[in-house]
């Protein structure tokens, strides 16, 4: 729904939407009211009071808002992102550089701390009777204009870099499928990345927004199950048939220090929660309770497949685990082909989830209703989303280093968005209710993860520079 700028017009829009939400029933060619249940009242109440009359820089007058999704759909959105094809790279990005003890303990700690920080953001979704349906709007309400733009930049940079990784993952899967059936004239990874970007573009035209994914989320769960089961099964097979495995941490003494810092940063990448308010905006009331429920199920049950792939891959291949685990697999051709195809398709769906906030920004900025199907509307969608995907695909071709991108995402974006900002936001929003000990706890998190973010960023940039020296554009 697009709202006008003045408070009067905003109130008119709210009143009109109020009548739209009322549960009418048709009887004898006339319409009358059904009985109002608690659920109906909660939806109407939340909608009427959800949109604060905010400064123009918060852009809250242009909103694509959905209040009907269940917490289960929110859970599927979360689990689709966490159990995406990125799980095939975590054995190398995390376990190889930390080893068994530090890797397992670090992952358990990262899971608990990420869940806690995500719940903090979910709890302040509603402040002073107003819903803040975007991360940047929440930051703007608490910090002001500078906070709004800081989070805006970090969030979109996070989603942008994650999507570059999804294109690279999709291209890697396509290249592996071709290589399974032919050793001659294998396409270069850069060309496969372009094909993956094209498929992402076609999917973006078909599915207008996050809530419209619907059955695609179920398909994504099936696809994730396929490559996860195949990766686990082949890893166990390869591990049992090989008695000699090297678990030593590779690199020189100095290199190990940098790689360990990068791996610690990588620990939080699987739990990327840089769009909690956007997901929370799509679910029905009670929004805080339902979001917390989705988060708790995700961080307990939803993480198990990722852990299984990560640990089985490292157990089977040790320090030689590849940045794309299926490259190590030596199972039957049909199983590897099935897993790679599933990984490719799931990367397309995951790309769309992480691209939706960017699409929504483009849609609202240019006054385009994403669900429109008329030729003019469709042409605008093609132009806007096509331009976004062209930029991402070109970068994926120029710098196809998936492990390096995982590290850069974690250091530059995930650490600030998932740990630093949530703790400080929560302190600012509830500072009068917190004890001195609670404030100290939040400040320790802010300082520790802030320092870690800076150190890990230096390491990630160092790795990209090193890898870029030996890479040729449109190389393999």
């Amino acid at each position: 729904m697009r709202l006008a700028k003045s408070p009067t017009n905003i109130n008119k829009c709210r009143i009109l939407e109020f009548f739209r939400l009322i549960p009418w029933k048709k009887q004898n060619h006339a319409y009358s009211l059904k009985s109002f249940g608690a659920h109906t009242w909660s939806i109407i109440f939340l909608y009427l009071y959800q949109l604060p009359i905010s400064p123009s820089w918060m852009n809250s007058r242009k909103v694509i808002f959905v209040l009907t999704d269940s917490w289960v759909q929110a859970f599927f959105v979360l689990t689709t992102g966490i159990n995406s094809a990125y799980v095939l790279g975590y054995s190398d990005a995390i376990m190889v550089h930390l080893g068994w003890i530090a890797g397992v303990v670090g992952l358990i700690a990262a899971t608990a701390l990420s869940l806690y920080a995500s719940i903090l953001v979910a709890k302040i979704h509603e402040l002073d009777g107003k819903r803040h349906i975007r991360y940047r709007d929440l930051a703007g309400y608490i910090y002001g204009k500078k906070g709004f733009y800081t989070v805006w930049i970090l969030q979109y940079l996070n989603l942008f870099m994650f999507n570059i990784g999804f294109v690279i993952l999709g291209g890697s899967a396509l290249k592996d499928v071709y290589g399974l059936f032919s050793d001659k004239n294998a396409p270069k990874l850069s060309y496969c990345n372009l094909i993956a970007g094209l498929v992402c573009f076609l999917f973006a035209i078909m599915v207008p927004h996050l809530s419209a994914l619907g059955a695609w989320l179920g398909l994504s769960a099936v696809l994730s199950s396929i490559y996860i089961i195949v990766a686990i099964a082949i890893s166990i097979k390869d591990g049992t048939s090989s008695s000699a495995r090297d678990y030593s941490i590779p690199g020189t003494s100095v290199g190990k220090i940098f790689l360990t810092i990068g791996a610690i940063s990588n620990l939080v990448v699987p739990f990327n929660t840089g769009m909690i308010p956007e997901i929370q905006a799509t679910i029905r009331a009670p929004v805080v309770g339902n979001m917390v429920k989705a988060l708790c199920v995700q961080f307990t049950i939803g993480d198990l497949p990722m852990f299984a792939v990560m640990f089985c891959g490292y157990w089977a291949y040790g320090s030689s685990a590849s940045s794309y685990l299926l490259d190590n697999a030596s199972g039957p051709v049909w199983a590897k082909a099935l897993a790679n195809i599933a990984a490719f398709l799931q990367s397309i769906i995951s790309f769309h989830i992480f691209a939706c906030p960017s699409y929504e920004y483009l849609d609202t900025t240019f006054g385009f209703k994403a669900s429109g199907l008329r030729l003019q509307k469709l042409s605008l969608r093609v132009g806007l989303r096509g331009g976004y995907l062209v930029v991402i695909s070109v970068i994926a071709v120029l710098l196809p280093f998936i492990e390096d991108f995982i590290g850069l995402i974690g250091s530059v974006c995930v650490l600030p968005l998932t740990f630093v900002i949530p703790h400080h936001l929560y302190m600012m929003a509830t500072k009068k209710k917190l004890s001195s000990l609670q404030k100290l706890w939040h400040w320790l998190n802010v300082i520790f993860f802030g320092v870690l973010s800076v150190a890990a960023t230096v390491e990630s940039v160092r790795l990209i520079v090193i890898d870029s020296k030996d890479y040729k554009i449109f190389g393999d």
Side-chain angles (χ1 to χ4, degrees):
M1 180 178 181
R2 187 179 179 185
L3 302 178
K5 186 173 183 179
S6 69
T8 302
N9 287 338
I10 290 177
N11 291 331
K12 286 180 180 178
C13 291
R14 287 174 176 167
I15 292 170
L16 290 172
E17 190 65 13
F18 172 84
F19 284 102
R20 187 186 70 79
L21 290 169
I22 290 177
W24 302 97
K25 66 178 180 179
K26 189 174 182 180
Q27 189 175 18
N28 297 327
H29 303 288
Y31 289 90
S32 60
L33 289 175
K34 292 180 181 178
S35 60
F36 275 26
H39 172 69
T40 303
W41 276 118
S42 64
I43 289 180
I44 293 173
F45 175 81
L46 285 171
Y47 188 85
L48 292 178
Y49 293 98
Q50 72 192 350
L51 297 174
I53 300 173
S54 308
S56 59
W57 47 265
M58 289 182 68
N59 201 31
S60 60
R61 64 185 184 276
K62 297 178 180 179
V63 178
I64 295 174
F65 193 85
V66 180
L67 252 177
T68 58
D69 294 347
S70 68
W71 71 266
V72 176
Q73 177 147 333
F75 160 72
F76 272 111
V77 171
L78 289 166
T79 198
T80 297
I82 288 181
N83 290 301
S84 67
Y86 269 101
V87 300
L88 299 173
Y90 293 149
S91 295
D92 176 40
I94 296 174
M95 298 301 296
V96 167
H97 303 297
L98 292 179
W100 278 116
I101 297 176
V104 173
V105 172
L107 281 166
I108 293 173
T111 303
L113 291 172
S114 297
L115 172 60
Y116 176 68
S118 298
I119 290 176
L120 292 182
V121 176
K123 283 184 175 181
I124 56 177
H125 183 75
E126 295 177 296
L127 289 176
D128 301 328
K130 302 169 186 177
R131 291 190 65 178
H132 303 277
I133 63 174
R134 300 186 184 98
Y135 203 161
R136 62 185 184 273
D137 290 345
L138 178 61
Y141 184 76
I142 294 175
Y143 294 141
K145 188 174 182 178
K146 290 182 179 179
F148 174 88
Y149 282 114
T150 298
V151 171
W152 186 90
I153 292 171
L154 283 174
Q155 187 181 31
Y156 281 97
L157 187 60
N158 172 43
L159 300 174
F160 186 79
M161 288 196 295
F162 239 96
N163 279 333
I164 293 172
F166 281 124
V167 171
I168 297 172
L169 284 167
S172 299
L174 278 181
K175 181 177 173 60
D176 276 16
V177 170
Y178 187 93
L180 290 173
F181 298 100
S182 177
D183 295 329
K184 298 179 180 179
N185 300 322
K188 294 181 179 180
L189 178 59
S190 53
Y191 298 150
C192 293
N193 289 344
L194 290 175
I195 295 173
L198 176 61
V199 178
C200 287
F201 167 71
L202 296 175
F203 191 80
I205 303 304
M206 293 168 50
V207 182
H209 48 74
L210 190 63
S211 188
L213 280 167
W216 291 104
L217 294 174
L219 176 61
S220 174
V222 173
L223 294 170
S224 297
S225 300
I226 291 173
Y227 62 72
I228 285 173
I229 291 172
V230 172
I232 292 173
I234 294 180
S235 296
I236 292 174
K237 170 187 168 296
D238 290 347
T240 53
S241 62
S242 175
S243 58
R245 288 185 291 274
D246 181 15
Y247 295 117
S248 62
I249 298 175
T252 62
S253 299
V254 176
K256 286 180 181 178
I257 295 174
F258 282 104
L259 290 172
T260 300
I261 293 172
I264 293 173
S265 171
N266 294 344
L267 284 170
V268 302
V269 174
F271 314 108
N272 188 352
T273 50
M275 50 187 290
I276 291 295
E278 285 80 359
I279 297 173
Q280 195 169 359
T282 68
I283 62 178
R284 65 176 68 112
V287 290
V288 175
N290 280 337
M291 193 64 202
V292 170
K293 189 186 300 183
L295 287 168
C296 289
V297 175
Q298 169 53 45
F299 279 87
T300 51
I301 299 173
D303 289 346
L304 295 180
M306 176 191 67
F307 287 142
V309 173
M310 199 184 313
F311 295 149
C312 287
Y314 183 59
W315 170 77
Y317 309 112
S319 58
S320 62
S322 171
S323 59
Y324 183 65
L325 192 60
L326 294 177
D327 287 342
N328 290 112
S330 60
V333 172
W334 67 265
K336 293 179 66 176
L338 181 63
N340 277 293
I341 292 171
F344 170 75
L345 295 175
Q346 205 276 344
S347 295
I348 305 303
I349 299 174
S350 295
F351 179 100
H352 193 74
I353 289 175
F354 282 85
C356 271
S358 300
Y359 294 158
E360 184 266 350
Y361 172 75
L362 292 172
D363 291 341
T364 54
T365 299
F366 290 92
F368 169 52
K369 185 178 179 181
S371 58
L373 292 176
R374 288 183 298 177
L375 182 60
Q376 182 181 1
K377 300 290 185 181
L378 192 60
S379 300
L380 183 58
R381 184 189 301 172
V382 168
L384 294 174
R385 301 187 179 188
Y388 177 82
L389 274 153
V390 165
V391 174
I392 283 182
S393 299
V394 169
I395 296 176
V397 168
L398 296 177
L399 299 169
F401 314 122
I402 186 62
E403 181 185 358
D404 298 349
F405 266 103
I406 290 176
L408 192 62
I409 291 167
S411 60
V412 175
C413 304
V414 180
L415 280 169
L417 288 172
T418 304
F419 294 105
V420 179
I421 294 174
H423 280 277
H424 197 265
L425 274 176
Y426 189 77
M427 272 198 301
M428 295 294 292
T430 61
K431 56 185 176 182
K432 294 182 180 179
K433 301 177 182 179
L434 298 177
S435 65
S436 298
L437 189 60
Q438 288 174 318
K439 290 180 182 178
L440 177 62
W441 161 250
H442 290 297
W443 271 117
L444 287 175
N445 278 275
V446 170
I447 295 170
F448 173 76
F449 288 110
V451 172
L452 179 60
S453 175
V454 174
T457 299
V458 173
E459 159 59 8
S460 298
V461 173
R462 185 184 76 91
L463 283 177
I464 290 177
V465 171
I466 292 173
D467 290 339
S468 298
K469 290 179 180 179
D470 299 325
Y471 177 74
K472 296 180 180 179
I473 298 177
F474 288 101
D476 204 6

